[in-house]
């Protein structure tokens, strides 16, 4: 087991590596070149991913013979989670928040052979899957005793939580959601009244637009007809492109992040508050800042969109068993409990739904999935959607 000095050195190196991101090399090429964007396919599994081959006691024993681990995540709660994990199993574990440039950082560590992040949790699932998992930089591992409680489509990449983003309104001004149909946001009534984090700075929006184009064309057309009483006619390739174009041309207020959206929507004392999408974690502002945020109920075609985070371990880690044990821990109620407060439903169905200020547990059937089969397409079309947004917004 590493000494405390060793652990401090690993954390110092992690911090120093962040300063080198600008010197990072180009990512590997995506898998394949055909326009159909076939889904990523897992080529191999390990014996302990099968229920009959999994032995938690043996995993714990093996983990205790290995050096301590460092976990990269995009939330500050990784620090407390790693500490709790270390205390539970008598191991060394250090949580490091790596919010920006995480994909490049992990890739650079792999290429240099100086692996610091032993476990990686990341919400940019398309880039994470294509650039890291599919290239062998990270190893996907599903705990064998959880195989039956995680949906097959959430096992490669292995999803740790769903990270919902939902449309919200100001409940101080409105007794119920003022929007029931996503096409309303393209009407004059909402010109300049929708706040949204800038899609050119937040990749999740390009992914969301692509997900709608691939999966929700019929639902968007149905919603359009329900609102206007006529069929949608468009020269765009699908209804999603038409909606994005109209929405961008309706002067949405672009912000830097969800925090600013939550203020524009939920801050008290407003006459005409904005309307917009935020992550569930921002509902903490209701208690901390006196905001009045509420999720829309029944908005068509979806009230929320899932943005899952993947979890995997570094292919070149010196502590594969300790890393596996942390992945197992994160998929338990005990290990994931601290993040349930942020409204993040676990991918493990045995973990209770979040009981958080957003009440997202009551909206789970209104959350659009983020299909793993679309990840390559999401990755490849990101710049195209950014260009489309840029030309439509201007």
């Amino acid at each position: 087991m590493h000494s405390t000095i060793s652990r401090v050195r690993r954390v110092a190196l992690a911090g120093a590596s962040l300063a080198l991101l600008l010197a990072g090399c180009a990512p590997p090429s995506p898998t394949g070149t055909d326009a159909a964007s076939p889904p990523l396919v897992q080529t191999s599994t390990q014996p302990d991913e099968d229920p009959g081959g999994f032995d938690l006691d043996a995993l714990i024993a093996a983990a205790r013979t290995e050096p301590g681990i460092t976990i990269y995540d995009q939330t500050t709660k990784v620090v407390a989670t790693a500490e709790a994990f270390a205390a539970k199993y008598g191991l060394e574990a250090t949580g490091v928040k790596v919010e920006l440039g995480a994909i490049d950082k992990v890739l650079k560590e792999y290429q240099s052979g100086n692996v610091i992040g032993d476990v990686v949790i990341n919400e940019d699932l398309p880039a994470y899957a294509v650039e890291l998992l599919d290239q062998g930089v990270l190893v996907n591992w599903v705990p064998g005793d959880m195989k039956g409680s995680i949906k097959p489509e959430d096992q490669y990449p292995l999803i740790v939580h769903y990270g919902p983003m939902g449309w919200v309104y100001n409940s101080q001004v409105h007794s119920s959601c003022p929007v029931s149909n996503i096409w309303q946001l393209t009407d004059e009534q909402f010109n300049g009244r929708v706040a949204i984090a800038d899609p050119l700075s937040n990749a999740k929006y390009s992914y969301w637009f692509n997900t709608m184009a691939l999966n929700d064309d019929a639902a968007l057309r149905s919603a359009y007809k329900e609102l206007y009483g006529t069929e949608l006619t468009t020269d765009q390739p699908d209804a999603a492109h038409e909606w994005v174009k109209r929405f961008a041309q309706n002067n949405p207020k672009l912000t830097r992040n969800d925090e600013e959206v939550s203020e524009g929507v939920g801050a008290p004392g407003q006459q005409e508050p904005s309307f917009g999408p935020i992550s569930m974690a921002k509902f903490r502002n209701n208690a901390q800042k006196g905001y009045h945020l509420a999720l829309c109920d029944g908005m068509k075609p979806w009230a929320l969109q899932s943005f899952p985070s993947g979890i995997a371990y570094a292919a070149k880690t010196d502590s594969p068993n300790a890393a596996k044990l942390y992945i197992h821990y994160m998929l338990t109620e005990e290990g994931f409990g601290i993040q349930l407060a942020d409204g993040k439903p676990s991918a493990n169905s045995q973990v209770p739904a979040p009981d958080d200020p957003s009440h997202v547990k009551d909206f789970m059937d209104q959350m659009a999935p983020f299909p793993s089969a679309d990840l390559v397409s999401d990755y490849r079309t990101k710049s195209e959607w950014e260009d489309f947004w840029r030309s439509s917004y201007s």
Side-chain angles (χ1 to χ4, degrees):
M1 188 178 297
H2 278 186
S3 65
T4 301
I5 293 175
S6 175
R7 187 179 71 174
V8 170
R9 177 178 177 271
R10 287 163 63 85
V11 176
L13 285 170
S17 294
L18 287 173
L20 299 176
L21 287 177
L22 292 178
C25 52
S29 299
T31 300
T33 56
D34 61 301
S37 298
L40 299 175
V41 177
Q42 188 170 13
T43 58
S44 64
T45 58
Q46 300 177 53
D48 55 358
E49 294 186 76
D50 182 86
F54 182 82
D55 185 333
L56 181 58
D57 291 334
L59 183 61
I60 295 170
R64 287 174 175 164
T65 69
E66 297 175 341
I69 60 172
T70 296
I71 301 98
Y72 290 163
D73 202 343
Q74 292 170 283
T75 171
T76 55
K77 293 182 177 180
V78 66
V79 176
T81 304
E83 290 174 351
F85 167 79
K88 178 178 178 66
Y89 292 112
L91 302 169
E92 288 189 9
T94 304
V96 178
K97 181 182 179 181
V98 184
E99 190 168 14
L100 300 176
I103 303 294
D104 288 341
K105 176 172 173 55
V106 173
L107 179 61
K108 185 176 180 66
E109 289 182 9
Y110 175 83
Q111 292 170 333
S112 70
N114 180 28
V115 172
I116 300 169
D118 303 286
V119 178
V120 178
I121 301 171
N122 194 267
E123 65 182 15
D124 189 344
L125 199 61
Y128 163 96
V130 174
E131 296 185 20
L132 301 181
L133 271 186
D134 195 51
Q135 301 299 318
V137 177
L138 296 179
V139 178
N140 196 80
W141 179 78
V142 181
D145 62 336
M146 298 174 176
K147 201 83 170 179
S149 57
I150 300 173
K151 296 176 183 177
E153 60 267 29
D154 293 335
Q155 294 186 18
Y156 188 79
L158 176 62
I159 302 304
V160 62
H161 66 75
Y162 295 120
M165 178 185 76
W167 292 100
V168 294
Y169 67 98
N170 187 309
S171 59
Q172 184 182 41
V173 176
H174 303 285
S175 59
S176 61
C177 183
V179 180
S180 60
N181 190 308
I182 197 172
W183 289 98
Q184 289 176 251
L185 306 181
T186 68
D187 288 343
E188 180 60 31
Q189 176 189 2
F190 283 92
N191 188 303
R193 292 186 54 199
V194 180
I196 185 173
D198 188 353
L200 299 183
S201 302
N202 296 268
K204 64 183 179 182
Y205 289 102
S206 296
Y207 300 150
W208 171 45
F209 299 157
N210 195 54
T211 294
M212 285 199 296
L214 292 174
N215 302 284
D216 292 332
D217 187 71
L220 284 167
R221 290 177 183 274
S222 175
Y224 182 94
K225 184 174 183 180
E226 181 175 326
L227 182 64
Y228 299 115
T230 59
E231 300 287 348
L232 173 67
T233 57
T234 176
D235 58 0
Q236 298 297 327
D238 48 62
H241 276 84
E242 182 65 29
W243 181 86
V244 170
K245 180 181 179 180
R246 294 191 190 189
F247 176 66
Q249 292 176 341
N250 210 31
N251 302 309
K253 300 175 183 176
L254 302 188
T255 70
R256 290 177 297 176
N257 49 47
D258 283 9
E259 183 65 29
E260 293 182 356
V261 176
S262 75
E263 179 181 8
V265 175
Q270 300 188 72
Q271 294 297 316
E272 291 189 353
S274 297
F275 179 84
I278 60 172
S279 65
M280 300 305 96
K282 300 307 174 185
F283 274 83
R284 60 175 172 255
N285 289 334
N286 282 355
Q288 295 179 0
K289 298 183 178 181
Y291 288 2
H292 299 273
L293 298 165
L295 275 172
C296 273
D297 190 2
M299 185 171 169
K300 294 183 178 180
W302 301 100
L304 300 96
Q305 173 64 53
S306 174
F307 286 106
S309 285
I311 184 169
Y313 69 88
K316 294 183 178 180
T317 179
D318 292 329
S319 307
N321 292 292
K324 287 180 179 181
L325 187 60
Y326 188 86
I327 292 172
H328 184 275
Y329 180 71
M330 278 296 292
L331 288 163
T332 66
E333 181 178 1
E334 178 182 2
F336 192 66
I338 191 172
Q339 295 196 38
L340 285 173
D342 286 340
K344 297 176 180 177
S346 172
N348 184 352
S349 62
Q350 297 303 305
V351 176
D355 186 12
D356 72 302
S358 75
H359 306 294
V360 71
K361 67 179 180 181
D362 298 327
F363 293 80
M364 296 299 293
D365 61 343
Q366 299 184 49
M367 181 172 68
F370 193 79
S372 59
D374 298 340
L375 292 176
V376 176
S377 176
D378 294 334
Y379 179 85
R380 289 175 173 167
T381 61
K382 177 176 177 290
S383 61
E384 295 174 21
W385 280 107
E386 289 173 344
D387 289 343
F388 186 72
W389 173 270
R390 187 181 291 108
S391 63
S392 299
Y393 184 74
S394 59

